[in-house]
Amino acid sequence: ELLRLAEHLWCIFLAPGGGMLDSSPSTSSRHSNDCYVVLNTVRRQIVAAVTSSTAESVAALAGDELNASLESLSRELLFDYTVTTHRQFEERNSVCYEMLCKEFQKGGGRLGEGCVERLLRGVYLPACISVHRPERDEEDCRSTATADTESSEDLADVEKAHVASSVEVTDGHNICSGEKVDQQRLPLQESYHNADYAIVFGTCDDNDENESDDSSSAQSAKASAAPTPDSTLRLLATLSLVSPTTSETSIPPTLLSYASVPLSSKRRDCYKRRDTCGISQQSDVACSDDGWDVSLVNFVVPNACDVIYGVSLVFHRIEDSISGSKDLNQQQGKDASDESKPTATGDKSKIISISSGAASDNKCPNNLCGLWTDKSRRDGDTIGITLISSRNVIPAMRATLSHLYHTHSQSINGNDDTSPLSSKQHHLAEPLINILGSLSNQCTHSTFINNLMPHLKHGITPWLSAPSFHTQQLHFTSQSALHLLQSLPPVPLSLLFLTALLERKIVLTSHRRSLLLSAATGLQSLLAPILRWSHLYVPFVPDQFVRDIVQYPAPFMIGVVREENESVLNSLPSDVTLVDLDMGKVVLPMGCSNAALEVSTASGGNWGDLRCQMLRLAEILGSFVGEQVYGGAWGCDYVFGDDTTERNGGNGSWEAVHSICQKFIRELLAGTNSCCFWVEDKRHGEDKTENNYTDKNKDSSVLFDESRFYHIKNLRAQGLYMPLFKNDESTYLTADTSLALNTDEFGAILETFLRSQAMSTYTSSRPKTSMAYW
């Protein structure tokens, strides 16, 4: 603790050049010669004390000699304030001085309650001083801590409910149709970190409304035909996988806009090339052997103040590939027995088992008029199942749906069902498709949920030893970050990081929907944990909203599918940065349409200067990233370079990139604590005695000296303003200044970062003990 206090005293007050006791551009007065003599004496004694071992440093810092010097410095500073500073303050800030005198007189010999708030409202501060509000006071922190404790207890109760031998759903309701769901028991033996709901959707049959015989089935069919953002799709079933009393997930009406995956023309072209020319790409796994396109997509849905996480397994019939798949089935059937020969019409036995089970459990007649794949539809054949959760359990949900598809797809080669799908293994989609299609009949819901339980357990098996679902979230973030690293070269990746750091408008685009979520998640993780993105964040924007959302006036980070929005992406506003994840490039805008976003730096720069500085800095950061991740290519001209292998691989590559980005953020924030001054207005107790002078209900403000910030950045670029010890985590001062920026070369970047919401949030979140406070 003594060493920490010594570091704080040094960095905030005593450090040559950067400490508050040295003059800066915002300090017009200087100390007396006697004060500087004592100040330099204290500096020498502290530096001499910390150059020894830890025990000797502690003894020297607590010694009488240093304490006497600090007391002498305190007296000199008080004398300077009385003789010089106070007189200048009275002459140059007469309005502020008069207000303080009135407050002092009104308070009966002390400053009255709320005087700081009134003073800041009534005084014009210098242009270089900005005012920030601390995020929480101590009472709010205590309330938040209590709320967090209650939330933790609620989460523990939820997990205890899931650990029970069975989860009983009583008096549940289909939250989309409003229909009551029959009582079901969901056997979950392990801690549950998987989906809250399973939702089945698809295109409607031509005679859907005439298939139901009883009133409940008719109402279910009517609810299934409710309008959705995509008029060709309808909700077939909404199945609760947990007790409604323990799940607070609400399903937004726009869910199908995020969960559905239209069949792109790019995939159609791949299938045509495979059928006509024999050219095979990813279509071997994307297309089943009975002519269905198969997609497994991650997504998030904005929902009020939170988001819903989901994974969709979607099937589309490919008319151009049906003939080829049938020929393949016939050829494979020549060497197979009639009992084991698969057909493209699906596994009827599984449909019969679900239908008969539903009839026996619920006494509901089997009114399934044939298989779902045999029915005619004007809008084409599309069906899918989506798992959603209020928590980020995407890895478990993705494993669940993958296992579900693999189990119900038949291997033409007779491979073991437990082996993972590969590009050489043929598989059929219609068995699972017909099972999903049967769920339009509500009587099949209970049996399907029971059949889904083994797949849900398979999805959570790797996470049973995890203490909470946050382990899945960290794994998903790590994998997403790795996908971003694999999509962009070092320099474009560094440019994208700077674009997010300076809070510009960002549009991520790709043909792969899951990559949009991965890239947005990975980009956010580059800023964390020190900073965070606090603006509009929509990893995937449905097509009907893209044209409007790109006109949003504030910073945003959104994902857009390229194929459906080519015209919008080719005519983006002039202040939007386009990130093409398929091509691996980042396109900065040439101009800035919003005058509010124009920067006017101390060096007289504008958007053009900022753009040039970002490109130059991206090359510098990109060289650090390239040397750490791709040592072979980036170090091939070095004498000791290794041009055969990469220095890092897999997650290690991302850890190296994240370390470089965090190092740069720490350098930007280095010394900012000495630019902050905490002013606190304490309220007295009822009897107004000193014993009741508490910190409760206090009003606080943080004054930030921007001129000192630029001054410190220049000192750091010159190799000055060093920490007392090797590294100081509280002020982010380090002995390494390789990433330090000066105002002459990067003034526009420094000012833009200083004006960012992330910087304001960081300043407001710092505790008062990390800065000068009064």
Side-chain angles (χ1 to χ4, degrees):
E1 179 66 12
L2 181 60
L3 296 178
R4 186 191 66 81
L5 292 175
E7 184 69 74
H8 174 77
L9 178 65
W10 176 267
C11 294
I12 303 299
F13 299 100
L14 303 180
M20 284 189 171
L21 296 184
D22 262 2
S23 60
S24 70
S26 61
T27 305
S28 57
S29 61
R30 297 178 61 86
H31 300 293
S32 64
N33 292 333
D34 293 340
C35 185
Y36 271 115
V37 170
V38 180
L39 176 60
N40 290 330
T41 301
V42 171
R43 288 170 175 169
R44 287 193 298 268
Q45 291 176 349
I46 291 181
V47 171
V50 300
T51 55
S52 306
S53 62
T54 302
E56 294 176 351
S57 297
V58 172
L61 292 174
D64 296 337
E65 183 180 3
L66 180 58
N67 287 333
S69 298
L70 289 173
E71 291 179 0
S72 177
L73 178 60
S74 176
R75 290 192 298 269
E76 291 293 339
L77 291 173
L78 181 60
F79 179 80
D80 271 9
Y81 172 79
T82 305
V83 174
T84 305
T85 307
H86 179 73
R87 183 177 301 176
Q88 292 178 353
F89 172 74
E90 181 179 355
E91 294 174 354
R92 301 177 184 178
N93 302 276
S94 57
V95 176
C96 181
Y97 179 75
E98 291 176 2
M99 290 184 63
L100 281 175
C101 291
K102 291 180 181 179
E103 292 287 349
F104 190 80
Q105 183 178 6
K106 181 180 178 180
R110 74 169 91 192
L111 294 178
E113 296 181 4
C115 69
V116 173
E117 189 75 19
R118 293 188 292 270
L119 184 65
L120 292 177
R121 289 198 304 262
V123 175
Y124 291 98
L125 296 174
C128 63
I129 302 297
S130 59
V131 182
H132 303 265
R133 293 292 184 186
E135 287 186 344
R136 300 180 181 89
D137 57 20
E138 294 180 1
E139 185 173 0
D140 290 339
C141 290
R142 288 192 295 270
S143 301
T144 303
T146 303
D148 291 342
T149 303
E150 294 175 353
S151 300
S152 300
E153 293 175 354
D154 293 341
L155 180 60
D157 294 339
V158 171
E159 304 216 351
K160 288 179 181 178
H162 290 314
V163 173
S165 60
S166 65
V167 177
E168 186 173 358
V169 181
T170 59
D171 196 24
H173 288 76
N174 183 312
I175 60 178
C176 288
S177 66
E179 292 301 313
K180 199 169 184 178
V181 180
D182 294 332
Q183 179 173 332
Q184 303 159 5
R185 295 182 65 84
L186 311 183
L188 296 176
Q189 303 293 337
E190 294 85 11
S191 181
Y192 187 81
H193 300 308
N194 211 320
D196 299 333
Y197 288 95
I199 299 174
V200 180
F201 58 90
T203 48
C204 287
D205 305 339
D206 294 340
N207 299 320
D208 262 351
E209 296 182 357
N210 299 324
E211 288 184 354
S212 301
D213 295 334
D214 58 358
S215 58
S216 61
S217 298
Q219 292 177 356
S220 177
K222 184 177 180 180
S224 300
T228 61
D230 186 345
S231 60
T232 64
L233 296 178
R234 297 294 185 268
L235 290 173
L236 303 181
T238 302
L239 311 174
S240 176
L241 304 179
V242 295
S243 172
T245 59
T246 59
S247 176
E248 299 180 355
T249 303
S250 59
I251 302 179
T254 58
L255 174 65
L256 292 188
S257 298
Y258 297 86
S260 59
V261 184
L263 181 58
S264 64
S265 60
K266 184 176 181 179
R267 276 196 169 184
R268 289 184 183 273
D269 293 341
C270 290
Y271 301 142
K272 290 179 180 179
R273 287 195 298 268
R274 185 193 66 173
D275 294 340
T276 59
C277 306
I279 300 176
S280 178
Q281 297 179 354
Q282 80 274 17
S283 55
D284 284 334
V285 175
C287 178
S288 66
D289 294 289
D290 46 1
W292 289 85
D293 175 83
V294 186
S295 299
L296 187 62
V297 177
N298 308 330
F299 65 91
V300 297
V301 183
N303 186 35
C305 297
D306 206 346
V307 296
I308 292 177
Y309 301 89
V311 179
S312 279
L313 178 62
V314 185
F315 303 90
H316 297 278
R317 189 191 294 274
I318 309 169
E319 299 296 337
D320 296 335
S321 301
I322 292 179
S323 59
S325 62
K326 288 183 178 179
D327 294 339
L328 177 61
N329 292 336
Q330 294 174 0
Q331 180 180 359
Q332 295 290 342
K334 293 180 181 179
D335 299 329
S337 62
D338 294 338
E339 292 79 4
S340 61
K341 182 177 66 176
T343 62
T345 57
D347 189 349
K348 296 183 180 180
S349 62
K350 295 181 179 179
I351 304 297
I352 294 174
S353 66
I354 286 185
S355 302
S356 61
S360 61
D361 294 342
N362 301 293
K363 298 181 179 181
C364 179
N366 182 8
N367 53 9
L368 293 176
C369 301
L371 300 177
W372 191 90
T373 54
D374 295 338
K375 300 178 183 180
S376 61
R377 298 171 184 84
R378 295 185 302 270
D379 300 322
D381 294 338
T382 298
I383 194 170
I385 178 173
T386 295
L387 299 181
I388 63 172
S389 175
S390 59
R391 303 169 296 176
N392 189 349
V393 290
I394 288 180
M397 293 190 294
R398 190 175 180 91
T400 297
L401 291 181
S402 179
H403 189 261
L404 174 69
Y405 175 66
H406 173 62
T407 301
H408 290 86
S409 64
Q410 296 179 343
S411 174
I412 294 179
N413 292 335
N415 293 338
D416 186 5
D417 286 344
T418 59
S419 61
L421 284 174
S422 65
S423 60
K424 296 181 179 180
Q425 182 179 352
H426 302 292
H427 53 282
L428 299 176
E430 289 191 0
L432 178 58
I433 291 174
N434 286 318
I435 292 175
L436 297 179
S438 69
L439 293 175
S440 59
N441 186 334
Q442 191 175 359
C443 298
T444 63
H445 291 185
S446 177
T447 304
F448 178 78
I449 292 179
N450 291 332
N451 292 336
L452 186 62
M453 287 301 107
H455 307 290
L456 291 169
K457 291 183 178 181
H458 174 82
I460 65 175
T461 298
W463 314 103
L464 293 179
S465 59
S468 70
F469 68 91
H470 292 292
T471 306
Q472 285 195 62
Q473 183 175 357
L474 293 176
H475 175 78
F476 175 75
T477 300
S478 176
Q479 292 300 311
S480 299
L482 188 58
H483 294 166
L484 177 61
L485 176 61
Q486 294 169 346
S487 301
L488 294 176
V491 174
L493 178 62
S494 302
L495 183 58
L496 178 58
F497 163 70
L498 291 175
T499 305
L501 182 65
L502 301 181
E503 299 181 349
R504 316 307 295 175
K505 299 180 180 179
I506 303 174
V507 173
L508 304 167
T509 180
S510 173
H511 292 286
R512 296 160 287 175
R513 298 191 173 212
S514 295
L515 183 59
L516 297 177
L517 175 58
S518 295
T521 303
L523 183 55
Q524 281 194 322
S525 68
L526 283 178
L527 303 176
I530 302 176
L531 303 178
R532 67 175 184 265
W533 179 268
S534 56
H535 299 282
L536 181 64
Y537 174 75
V538 187
F540 166 67
V541 179
D543 300 339
Q544 63 267 31
F545 303 135
V546 172
R547 193 172 296 276
D548 293 330
I549 204 170
V550 295
Q551 303 295 334
Y552 188 71
F556 57 74
M557 184 189 302
I558 64 175
V560 176
V561 177
R562 169 169 287 279
E563 187 174 29
E564 289 84 359
N565 301 279
E566 282 286 356
S567 59
V568 179
L569 296 176
N570 292 332
S571 59
L572 289 173
S574 59
D575 57 346
V576 175
T577 298
L578 179 63
V579 182
D580 192 331
L581 298 170
D582 295 330
M583 299 295 293
K585 64 180 181 180
V586 178
V587 182
L588 286 181
M590 296 301 297
C592 188
S593 60
N594 192 345
L597 294 178
E598 293 283 354
V599 293
S600 177
T601 63
S603 58
N606 51 27
W607 164 249
D609 293 337
L610 177 60
R611 186 176 186 275
C612 293
Q613 292 176 18
M614 290 176 64
L615 293 172
R616 181 179 179 184
L617 184 56
E619 293 183 0
I620 297 175
L621 292 178
S623 64
F624 281 90
V625 173
E627 291 174 2
Q628 287 294 323
V629 180
Y630 308 104
W634 286 77
C636 58
D637 285 343
Y638 297 161
V639 176
F640 300 102
D642 182 3
D643 59 354
T644 58
T645 59
E646 296 182 1
R647 296 189 180 181
N648 295 285
N651 292 333
S653 300
W654 178 254
E655 292 174 358
V657 175
H658 184 263
S659 176
I660 293 172
C661 293
Q662 292 300 297
K663 179 181 177 182
F664 179 72
I665 292 176
R666 286 186 173 90
E667 184 57 49
L668 285 178
L669 298 174
T672 53
N673 287 20
S674 67
C675 305
C676 300
F677 195 89
W678 181 293
V679 181
E680 182 179 295
D681 187 9
K682 296 184 179 180
R683 298 181 181 180
H684 312 296
E686 293 182 357
D687 56 0
K688 305 224 177 149
T689 61
E690 194 67 27
N691 292 333
N692 290 334
Y693 196 71
T694 64
D695 289 344
K696 294 182 179 180
N697 301 322
K698 62 192 177 188
D699 295 325
S700 306
S701 300
V702 177
L703 306 182
F704 188 87
D705 191 342
E706 297 176 0
S707 296
R708 177 174 289 276
F709 172 80
Y710 295 123
H711 176 64
I712 288 176
K713 296 301 105 178
N714 287 328
L715 290 176
R716 291 288 297 172
Q718 299 171 16
L720 305 175
Y721 191 40
M722 294 295 174
L724 189 62
F725 300 100
K726 184 176 181 181
N727 295 314
D728 179 24
E729 288 298 326
S730 62
T731 61
Y732 295 127
L733 285 176
T734 64
D736 184 6
T737 60
S738 57
L739 294 178
L741 307 181
N742 59 50
T743 56
D744 292 336
E745 295 180 297
F746 301 101
I749 289 179
L750 290 174
E751 181 169 355
T752 305
F753 174 73
L754 189 60
R755 300 282 184 267
S756 66
Q757 181 65 35
M759 179 62 183
S760 178
T761 302
Y762 172 82
T763 303
S764 301
S765 64
R766 305 300 297 167
K768 74 175 184 179
T769 53
S770 67
M771 62 187 76
Y773 59 90
W774 172 62

